[in-house]
Amino acid sequence: MRRECLFGFGRDNCLVAVALFLWASGEGMFLYIQPLYIAQLGAGPVQIGSVLALDGAVRAVSFIPGGMLADRIGPRRVIQMGWLVGLAAVALMSMARDWWGFIPGVALYALSAFCIPAVSSYVAAARGKLPLERELTLVFAGYAAGNIASPAVGGWLAGMWGMRATYMAACGFLLMSCLVVMRLTDCAAGEPFALEAGRAGLPRSLFGGWWMPLRPLAAYSGLIFLIFLSMYLG
């Protein structure tokens, strides 16, 4: 029998939503003022842009292997690994003494994005009685809610005690988020965890030359690329 938390919402998905809320509460404290911190560490505009470009490049290459890993060992473990890597990365960033020392933390934090595909996969398998579309949006609304006040709090902390204090405070929220995801179960929704088609590996059509079925995906991906390009250009 499926275990439910509230109004048909899956119990494990409640934990994921809380974990995303706590993560966004910590991440939002530093993410939007991160260029200022890099500047304080001695970087100029070109160096700041290069560090942020590295972040985007590492994220881009982390998704596909992250999804393949989730197929092999299960989304729960990948989620937990990603959360721990992200926590370690922010701790590294808080200890940086110059912008060169900041780079390993940025790269590691970007690498932790490999768990993002596993989150959607886990939410789909752990849903309760609600339609998948509604449960997905409710879970990820937790992340959006965490971003409401955290940027303002982060800016206030940075003004009062400095940027490094903001990163250290963020680590506290990320640690709480990690503790929550450690409570996730493999038997989400009370039944053995199972993934639907796809299993391990990429579809043959991606590399085999039969690219026609991927045309809608390619068009959508191109649109997303242009949207995020315009958002981050500033």
Side-chain angles (χ1 to χ4, degrees), residues 13 27 73 109 133:
N13 281 346
E27 182 183 73
I73 68 174
Y109 193 76
E133 296 83 357

Side-chain angles (χ1 to χ4, degrees), residues 15 72 98 110 117-118 206:
L15 294 178
R72 293 185 179 278
D98 55 47
L206 193 59

